């Protein structure tokens, strides 16, 4: 990342390619006190006492909003921490992250748990940071206090989460949690896999990815989503389906929306850019739950994305230490059944998606909709984040859409050098990231802020 400049109270960023809410065009962007004050004709704003940055043909994008990031601090900081995660975010053009409530100890299921995260994050975030709460068995009474504290909603698992301190909800728990969230006006975000379907699926440990894929079938997602949507209909809750990997859920979502259910859904870069046919046996960097599925399924996800059926494309950055991934190159067994399930890609989401989106005929305006304005809308930050528009924070990214680079995991900023993108060539490079008009330098002092639900 470039060296940080002395922050100017007033600045102009100029580009012949600025991605605005109504499309891409040449423009000058006037920034005052960290917010966008004016969008003017290209070349019309004189420097004067303003700091002028002329990007030429480099594209100016709004900063990405990633609403699905597992930071894991406190408690499992050896997996990932606020400093390393937010450095990676800034280097990848992400200017706002919302931290998931689990994998940290304590989880964000009480006000005290939230306070512990806020305290430890102070002074070590290079981008802006918000928090999700968690809805688990027995904490319905904690949801309203957490909501008052400004969490962006509440995550639940319908199947085991993988960590003991964040148990999944049974149907009775789900009913109570959704009814309470409907009452207080909170958003429920759900990991939707059905435990009964998972238990009945063939369980074959070992290095073969096809065996792991068979253990997490499409039916597990479809059954869980169907049950969730039925519960949302009865409770009136607003629900969001996390990390959709299976196209089998798409007809269910379409019907629910037609019936008036308040439901949105997201998918992730790894489901849109990777395919089961490409996963090498034993390479557990590719393991996640729900899993990366086949090319035909991937094409259906892209069609749904193009049709506006996903509100967001977000990372689900969920790293761990290399030993928990059982990576063979570190002496592990490469057993997909036993390895930790999670993809590390926070820094790479933008180029990964752009590489595939451009190949499929999409524009950078599409990418901004999926990765900036859409996620901002999901969490109620429209008007503040996710767009180059008057009144928004001047969270901006200079992006070279034609630059190619090879991914070297050891050069990424997240804590552990593990990613399924290692060795791949991606197109699109982040040149500079601005947070509220100030260049982010990941080697200088951080100035990210903690944000709350509006």
């Amino acid at each position: 990342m470039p060296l940080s400049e002395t922050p100017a109270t007033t600045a102009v960023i100029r580009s012949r390619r600025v991605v605005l809410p109504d499309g891409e065009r040449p423009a000058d962007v006037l920034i005052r006190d960290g917010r966008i004050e004016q969008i003017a004709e290209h070349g019309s704003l004189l420097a004067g006492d303003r700091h002028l940055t002329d990007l030429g043909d480099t594209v100016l994008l709004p900063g990405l909003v990633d609403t699905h990031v597992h930071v894991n601090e406190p408690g499992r900081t050896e997996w990932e921490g606020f400093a390393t995660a937010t450095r990676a975010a800034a280097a990848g053009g992400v200017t706002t992250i919302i931290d998931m409530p689990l994998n940290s100890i304590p989880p964000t299921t009480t006000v005290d748990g939230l306070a512990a995260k806020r305290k430890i994050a102070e002074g070590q975030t290079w981008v802006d940071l918000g928090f999700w709460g968690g809805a688990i068995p027995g904490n319905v009474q904690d949801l309203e206090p957490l909501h008052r504290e400004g969490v962006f909603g509440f995550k639940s698992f319908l199947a085991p989460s993988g960590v003991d301190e964040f148990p999944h909800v049974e149907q009775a728990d789900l009913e109570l949690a959704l009814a309470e969230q409907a009452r207080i006006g909170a958003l429920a975000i759900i990991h939707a896999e059905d435990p009964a379907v998972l238990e009945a699926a063939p369980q074959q440990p070992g290095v073969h990815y096809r065996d792991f894929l068979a253990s997490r079938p499409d039916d597990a997602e479809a059954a869980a989503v169907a049950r969730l949507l039925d519960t949302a209909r009865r409770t009136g809750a607003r629900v969001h389906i996390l990390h959709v990997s299976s196209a089998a859920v798409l007809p269910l979502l379409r019907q629910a929306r037609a019936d008036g259910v308040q439901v949105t859904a997201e998918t992730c870069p790894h489901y849109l850019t990777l395919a089961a046919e490409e996963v090498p046996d034993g390479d557990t960097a590719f393991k996640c739950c729900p899993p990366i599925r086949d090319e035909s399924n991937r094409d259906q996800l892209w069609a749904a994305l193009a049709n506006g059926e996903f509100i967001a494309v977000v990372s689900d950055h969920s790293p761990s230490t290399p030993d928990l991934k059982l990576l063979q190159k570190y002496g592990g067994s490469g057993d997909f059944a036993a390895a930790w399930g999670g993809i590390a890609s926070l820094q790479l989401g933008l180029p990964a998606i752009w590489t595939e989106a451009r190949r499929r005929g999409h524009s950078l305006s599409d990418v901004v909709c999926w990765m900036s304005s859409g996620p901002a809308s999901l969490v109620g930050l429209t008007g503040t984040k996710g767009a180059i528009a008057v009144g928004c924070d001047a969270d901006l990214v200079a992006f070279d859409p034609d630059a190619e680079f090879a991914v070297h995991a050891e050069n990424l900023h997240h804590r552990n050098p593990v990613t399924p993108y290692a060795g791949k060539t991606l197109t699109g490079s982040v040149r500079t990231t601005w947070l509220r008009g100030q260049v982010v330098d990941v080697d200088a002092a951080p100035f990210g802020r903690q944000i709350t639900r509006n």
Side-chain angles (χ1 to χ4, degrees):
M1 300 290 290
L3 293 177
S4 179
E5 304 160 11
T6 302
T9 302
T10 307
V12 175
I13 302 178
R14 174 176 297 159
S15 172
R16 283 187 283 272
R17 299 186 63 186
V18 180
V19 179
L20 301 168
D22 59 353
E24 181 183 312
R25 63 177 170 86
D28 287 1
V29 179
L30 175 63
I31 300 163
R32 188 184 303 275
D33 297 329
R35 290 186 178 267
I36 297 170
E37 183 174 274
Q38 182 184 2
I39 298 168
E41 292 297 317
H42 182 270
S44 65
L45 298 179
L46 301 178
D49 60 352
R50 307 160 178 155
H51 180 83
L52 173 64
T53 301
D54 191 337
L55 298 178
D57 290 323
T58 299
V59 181
L60 187 66
L61 305 175
L64 274 58
V65 177
D66 194 334
T67 55
H68 196 149
V69 179
H70 294 267
V71 175
N72 308 331
E73 188 175 14
R76 291 189 176 94
T77 311
E78 70 276 13
W79 294 16
E80 188 69 282
F82 288 108
T84 49
T86 58
R87 280 192 184 103
V94 178
T95 51
T96 302
I97 66 169
I98 312 296
D99 174 55
M100 281 290 166
L102 73 157
N103 300 346
S104 58
I105 302 174
T108 318
T109 52
T110 64
V111 169
D112 286 345
L114 175 63
K117 279 199 175 185
R118 284 177 167 166
K119 182 177 181 180
I120 203 164
E122 286 178 4
Q124 60 164 338
T125 60
W126 272 259
V127 302
D128 285 355
L129 167 70
F131 298 95
W132 294 107
I136 61 173
N139 85 324
V140 169
Q141 73 282 355
D142 293 298
L143 303 186
E144 187 172 13
L146 280 164
H147 188 64
R148 289 197 300 265
E149 285 291 318
V151 298
F152 285 87
F154 297 94
K155 181 174 187 176
S156 295
F157 277 73
L158 301 189
S161 72
V163 292
D164 292 342
E165 66 277 0
F166 202 95
H168 72 286
V169 292
E170 303 286 356
Q171 183 60 30
D173 305 312
L174 181 65
E175 299 268 358
L176 291 171
L178 291 192
E180 176 68 357
Q181 289 173 78
R183 185 186 73 82
I184 64 178
L187 173 66
I189 63 171
I190 308 294
H191 179 122
E193 289 181 286
D194 186 272
V197 176
L198 293 177
E199 187 174 345
Q203 304 295 322
Q204 179 63 50
V207 300
H208 299 305
Y209 185 75
R210 65 177 180 272
D211 293 333
F212 169 66
L213 185 58
S215 75
R216 315 291 294 208
D218 296 83
D219 287 351
E221 284 189 74
V225 168
R227 178 160 59 93
L228 173 65
L229 293 174
D230 180 63
T231 311
R233 281 187 186 93
R234 287 185 282 102
T235 60
R238 183 164 65 103
V239 297
H240 176 73
I241 315 299
L242 298 167
H243 47 49
V244 172
S245 86
S246 173
V249 309
L250 297 174
L252 301 172
L253 295 174
R254 292 169 192 142
Q255 185 60 55
R257 292 182 184 121
D259 293 343
V261 177
Q262 299 179 84
V263 59
T264 53
E266 70 186 39
T267 191
C268 304
H270 41 281
Y271 301 132
L272 295 168
T273 64
L274 305 174
E277 294 89 339
E278 305 165 0
V279 178
D281 283 348
D283 194 345
T284 49
F286 288 82
K287 181 185 175 180
C288 57
C289 300
I292 296 162
R293 302 191 188 276
D294 63 28
E295 291 180 1
S296 173
N297 180 86
R298 180 176 65 179
D299 289 342
Q300 293 177 72
L301 295 181
W302 272 103
L305 182 63
N307 197 38
E309 297 179 51
F310 292 112
I311 195 172
V313 176
V314 287
S315 69
D316 188 13
H317 178 71
S318 185
S320 71
T321 54
D323 61 306
L324 290 177
K325 290 297 279 185
L326 303 181
L327 291 161
Q328 290 178 326
K329 70 178 182 179
Y330 292 108
S333 66
D335 183 344
F336 278 100
W340 174 258
I343 298 290
S345 65
L346 181 55
Q347 188 172 333
L348 299 172
L350 176 56
I353 285 294
W354 175 236
T355 300
E356 187 68 13
R358 185 166 75 164
R359 187 180 74 82
R360 292 173 179 263
H362 293 286
S363 68
L364 281 170
S365 291
D366 294 330
V367 173
V368 164
C369 178
W370 305 330
M371 305 188 80
S372 296
S373 59
S377 172
L378 173 68
V379 294
L381 293 176
T382 300
T384 305
K385 303 288 188 183
I388 301 178
V390 172
C392 284
D393 289 349
D395 299 347
L396 304 165
V397 177
F399 183 69
D400 183 343
D402 300 315
E404 293 187 346
F405 68 98
V407 177
H408 299 285
E410 64 275 12
N411 294 336
L412 300 175
H413 288 279
H414 64 252
R415 186 172 299 280
N416 293 290
V418 178
T419 179
Y421 293 99
K424 294 185 180 296
T425 297
L426 300 178
T427 302
S429 178
V430 172
R431 299 304 193 196
T432 308
T433 299
W434 291 265
L435 183 64
R436 292 184 303 280
Q438 185 175 347
V439 173
V440 179
D441 176 5
V442 298
D443 296 316
F447 55 91
R449 297 176 182 171
Q450 294 186 30
I451 60 174
T452 58
R453 175 181 42 79
N454 291 333

